[in-house]
Amino acid sequence: MTIEYEPFEYPNGVSCIAGVDEVGRGPLVGAVVTAAVILDPNKPIEGLTDSKKLSEKKRNVLFDEIKEKALAWSLGRCEADEIDELNILQATMVAMQRAVAGLSIPPDYVLIDGNRIPELPMAAQAIVKGDLRVAEISAASILAKVTRDREMEALDAQYPAYGFAKHKGYPTKAHLEALEQQGVLRDYYRLSFKPVKRLLDTE
């Protein structure tokens, strides 16, 4: 059964809206990547939706189109060592703050996917399933996902035995087996995450 969400109603009197989303809270390796996007109402982009619902090919096409047509876009991130220091929730909030701060045009209002808002210098609203309901958040989810996926593919080229290009760092069965066999890459893994920590404790 698919749940139908109400179409999102944009707040009145706001002219410049940024959408923000993150990718990579669940993986054991790499950064949590966020994006902030301000779309240009005069340059509509067809096919924006939650990045996870799109094929890789379609995401890559939209990735280029968003960067070309958006009024402003920015990426933010927190690396694995920051995630270990802060915890994943706080690191995600910091990465979102960095994405918003990096926008070349300061937005009046920020729409964030999910149910939490980082501290920002402008008004903001959290929207559950925002990546399905709000074009700006959909665009942000695509930029963040393509960026992070490409980083995992680059890591895969360096360390092919781990299978990063396939699982993108998420704790799949194949990834956990590879991790056990190959050991922890301390420069890339999130050492505080349970499967990694457990392995380090047994070394």
Side-chain angles (χ1 to χ4, degrees):
M1 190 179 96
T2 56
I3 301 169
E4 286 294 316
Y5 288 93
E6 291 288 311
F8 178 70
E9 286 191 20
Y10 286 85
N12 290 330
V14 174
S15 59
C16 186
I17 290 178
V20 176
D21 201 2
E22 54 70 31
V23 170
R25 282 175 66 159
L28 307 177
V29 69
V32 60
V33 177
T34 57
V37 179
I38 300 170
L39 293 174
D40 185 343
N42 300 315
K43 294 180 183 171
I45 299 169
E46 290 295 313
L48 290 176
T49 186
D50 172 8
S51 61
K52 296 183 289 297
K53 297 198 175 300
L54 298 165
S55 67
E56 185 181 354
K57 187 179 174 189
K58 181 67 176 157
R59 276 198 301 269
N60 285 331
V61 169
L62 284 169
F63 179 81
D64 294 335
E65 194 178 349
I66 293 160
K67 293 207 300 188
E68 191 187 313
K69 289 183 174 176
L71 287 174
W73 62 272
S74 166
L75 294 166
R77 55 194 298 120
C78 259
E79 302 299 341
D81 57 342
E82 292 180 286
I83 293 168
D84 289 333
E85 194 183 318
L86 296 169
N87 80 42
I88 186 61
L89 177 63
Q90 292 311 316
T92 302
M93 296 294 117
V94 169
M96 285 180 171
Q97 289 168 333
R98 288 171 179 170
V100 173
L103 287 166
S104 57
I105 301 168
D108 313 329
Y109 203 81
V110 178
L111 300 174
I112 293 170
D113 186 54
N115 58 7
R116 287 174 187 267
I117 302 171
E119 275 185 39
L120 293 168
M122 68 288 290
Q125 182 180 349
I127 300 161
V128 173
K129 293 290 177 195
D131 48 9
L132 285 171
R133 299 165 63 202
V134 178
E136 289 84 354
I137 297 177
S138 303
S141 83
I142 291 163
L143 291 192
K145 181 157 175 58
V146 172
T147 299
R148 193 178 191 286
D149 283 358
R150 288 178 180 176
E151 289 175 10
M152 287 295 108
E153 283 153 19
L155 195 60
D156 185 77
Q158 271 182 282
Y159 302 100
Y162 288 83
F164 294 124
K166 274 207 177 113
H167 53 65
K168 305 293 191 283
Y170 284 88
T172 62
K173 187 167 178 280
H175 184 191
L176 294 174
E177 284 168 5
L179 180 59
E180 200 131 324
Q181 286 161 9
Q182 304 296 324
V184 177
L185 300 166
R186 285 176 177 267
D187 289 346
Y188 301 102
Y189 272 92
R190 302 172 182 182
L191 307 183
S192 60
F193 276 39
K194 272 184 189 158
V196 182
K197 193 171 182 301
R198 200 164 50 231
L199 208 58
L200 291 173
D201 288 347
T202 61
E203 281 179 8

